C-alpha cells in the first residue's frame, strides 16, 4: 500500500522560518537603534556637562581680585565658550547653533546641548533624524 504525499503542506515550514527570521531581524534592529538612542543621550549629557564646566571657568577677574563671593561668571562669553567646546568635540553646525547657555545664578551656568542622529536600521523605514538633548549645570567655586 502506497502512501500518498499531502500536497497542501508543501512549503509551509519555509514560510514560517521566513516570518520568524523577519521578526527576529526587526527586534534586533530596534535593539540596536535603542542602544544608539541611549548612547546619543549620554553623549549629549556629557558634552553639556563639559561645556558647562568650560563656560564656568571664565570668571570675572575684577570681582575675583576685589574678593567678591561668590565669584561671578562672565556670561557675556558663555555662548562663545560653549560653541568653542562643542566645535572641539566634533558636533555639527546645526546642533552647535541650537546650544543654549543660561545664567542660573551669578556663579552658576546651565548648558543645553542638542544632538541629531540617524538611526541605523529603523532609518531604512523611518526617513528622518532623531533629536536628543543633554542639560547640565556647573558652578564656579573658589577654594
Amino acid at each position: 500500500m502506497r502512501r500518498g504525499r499531502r500536497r497542501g503542506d508543501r512549503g509551509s515550514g519555509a514560510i514560517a522560518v521566513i516570518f520568524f527570521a523577519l521578526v527576529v531581524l526587526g527586534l534586533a534592529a530596534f535593539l540596536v537603534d535603542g542602544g544608539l538612542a541611549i548612547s546619543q543621550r549620554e553623549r549629549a549629557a556629557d558634552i553639556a556637562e563639559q561645556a558647562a564646566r568650560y563656560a564656568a571657568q571664565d570668571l570675572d577677574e575684577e570681582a575675583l581680585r576685589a574678593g567678591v563671593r561668590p565669584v561671578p561668571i562672565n556670561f557675556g562669553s558663555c555662548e562663545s565658550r560653549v560653541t568653542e567646546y562643542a566645535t572641539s568635540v566634533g558636533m555639527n553646525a546645526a546642533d552647535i547653533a541650537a546650544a543654549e547657555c543660561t545664567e542660573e545664578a551669578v556663579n552658576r551656568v546651565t548648558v543645553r546641548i542638542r544632538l541629531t542622529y540617524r538611526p541605523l536600521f529603523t532609518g531604512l523605514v523611518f526617513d528622518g533624524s532623531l533629536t536628543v538633548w543633554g542639560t547640565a549645570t556647573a558652578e564656579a567655586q573658589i577654594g
Side-chain angles (χ1 to χ4, degrees), residues 80-100:
S80 64
R81 288 183 69 87
V82 169
T83 299
E84 182 181 340
Y85 181 78
T87 302
S88 74
V89 295
M91 287 179 52
N92 67 41
D95 287 341
I96 291 172
E100 300 171 2

Side-chain angles (χ1 to χ4, degrees), residues 2 12 16 19 21 27 31 35 45-46 49 57 59 64 66 73 75 78 89 115 124 129-131 133 137 141:
R2 290 181 70 185
S12 62
F19 173 75
L27 291 174
L31 183 67
D46 182 50
E49 184 177 316
Q57 290 175 352
L59 301 176
L64 181 63
I73 297 170
F75 287 101
C78 186
V89 295
L115 289 180
L124 300 173
S129 296
L130 299 178
T131 302
W133 292 91
T137 301
Q141 294 184 351

Side-chain angles (χ1 to χ4, degrees), residues 33-49 113-117 130-136:
D33 285 341
L36 180 63
I38 291 169
S39 171
Q40 290 298 317
R41 279 191 201 105
E42 288 177 357
R43 182 171 180 251
D46 182 50
I47 291 171
E49 184 177 316
I113 295 291
R114 179 185 81 180
L115 289 180
T116 55
Y117 69 98
L130 299 178
T131 302
V132 294
W133 292 91
T135 304

Side-chain angles (χ1 to χ4, degrees), residues 29 32-34 36-37 117-130:
V32 168
D33 285 341
L36 180 63
Y117 69 98
R118 185 166 171 81
L120 295 177
F121 294 108
T122 54
L124 300 173
V125 177
F126 173 73
D127 188 31
S129 296
L130 299 178

